[in-house]
Amino acid sequence: MNAPAHRPEWDAIFRSLQAWRKNLSEKDPSVSTVAEIYSKDSWAVLVSTILSLRTKDEVTLVVSKKLLDKAGSPAELAAMKEEKLAGLVYPAGFYRNKAASLKKIAKILIEQYNGKVPADMDALLALPGVGRKTANLVLIEAFGKPGVCVDIHVHRITNRAGWLRTKTPDDTEMILREILPRKYWKSINAMLVLYGQKLCRPISPFCSSCVIKNHCARIDVGTSR
């Protein structure tokens, strides 16, 4: 993994992205919305983040609300039969696997953390089904801690733009921790997720409408619109 040869103009990049974001009618990504609805409750954020993996935002939001209305705490979820839990999680992607992971997580939180979600990276990573993206998002959204949450959109756009050169999202996170000003750590995920969904698509991105094209090297971009 490599940092860029030149230093990205982060302030200019984020000014352009923020101006673009203000003109959108869409809400924040689903996990951020859930965090607001449930007043930054760490259990709600953890549940919605796990449900969001490989699931569309609109589905994540509906399923998260449906589940949290029935299981607003680890104790309530742990008491639920797994088949009922799976039914509440449907149609999130891999819903049976997620139901099983949530059941295990609830038990661990009850037994080891007095029913509370730990505000610690290593402790979160030790939970079933929790990777760095999930752990960072929980720390950011629920606890207000600094973190760099990298999903497929952040990984694709930062590499496409030439701001870094990495092979995996985890590698991207490590480089961004070195080169991205701390003031942008919390906001980069929400900003680039929306940008990746709307404009900087995996295939045939809307380069003609890009607000950061002066900061993008268009690496590996073939067809664009």
Side-chain angles (χ1 to χ4, degrees):
M1 57 183 179
N2 297 296
H6 64 283
R7 183 180 180 86
E9 299 176 48
W10 294 116
D11 289 338
I13 290 166
F14 272 83
R15 277 198 303 271
S16 296
L17 289 171
Q18 287 161 356
W20 170 82
R21 175 68 183 88
K22 286 180 181 178
N23 293 322
L24 289 184
S25 59
E26 285 81 354
K27 296 180 179 179
D28 289 332
S30 56
V31 174
S32 299
T33 302
V34 168
E36 290 301 321
I37 292 172
Y38 292 90
S39 302
K40 304 290 185 179
D41 178 76
S42 56
W43 170 245
V45 173
L46 176 59
V47 167
S48 65
T49 305
I50 289 173
L51 293 177
S52 73
L53 301 173
R54 297 190 181 185
T55 302
K56 292 182 178 180
D57 265 6
E58 55 269 26
V59 175
T60 298
L61 192 56
V62 171
V63 172
S64 294
K65 289 179 179 178
K66 184 170 62 170
L67 177 56
L68 290 166
D69 284 347
K70 300 290 185 181
S73 70
E76 289 176 335
L77 190 143
M80 192 177 291
K81 291 185 178 180
E82 194 166 314
E83 194 62 30
K84 180 180 179 180
L85 176 57
L88 289 171
V89 170
Y90 181 84
F94 301 95
Y95 68 98
R96 291 192 181 277
N97 292 340
K98 290 175 181 177
S101 292
L102 286 169
K103 189 86 169 173
K104 293 174 184 175
I105 287 172
K107 183 178 179 182
I108 292 170
L109 295 183
I110 292 167
E111 293 177 350
Q112 298 183 23
Y113 300 101
N114 197 30
K116 305 293 183 182
V117 176
D120 176 79
M121 175 65 81
D122 291 336
L124 288 168
L125 290 175
L127 298 174
V130 174
R132 292 197 65 87
K133 173 197 166 183
T134 298
N136 271 297
L137 204 50
V138 171
L139 292 174
I140 292 167
E141 294 288 358
F143 298 107
K145 290 193 170 187
V148 181
C149 180
V150 176
D151 71 344
I152 55 172
H153 297 291
V154 177
H155 177 61
R156 178 179 72 254
I157 294 171
T158 53
N159 274 275
R160 176 178 281 171
W163 303 338
L164 44 71
R165 198 65 176 163
T166 57
K167 292 183 178 179
T168 69
D170 285 356
D171 288 343
T172 297
E173 179 198 336
M174 295 302 111
I175 291 294
L176 285 174
R177 284 178 176 271
E178 295 178 8
I179 68 173
L180 181 66
R182 203 175 183 87
K183 63 183 177 180
Y184 297 128
W185 282 20
K186 291 182 182 180
S187 60
I188 190 171
N189 181 265
M191 196 69 69
L192 292 187
V193 165
L194 286 170
Y195 206 70
Q197 291 172 345
K198 298 295 179 183
L199 290 181
C200 200
R201 301 279 185 83
I203 300 173
S204 190
F206 292 90
C207 293
S208 61
S209 303
C210 181
V211 301
I212 54 173
K213 56 188 172 186
N214 292 337
H215 306 279
C216 180
R218 300 180 78 245
I219 294 173
D220 296 330
V221 174
T223 303
S224 65
R225 289 174 275 183

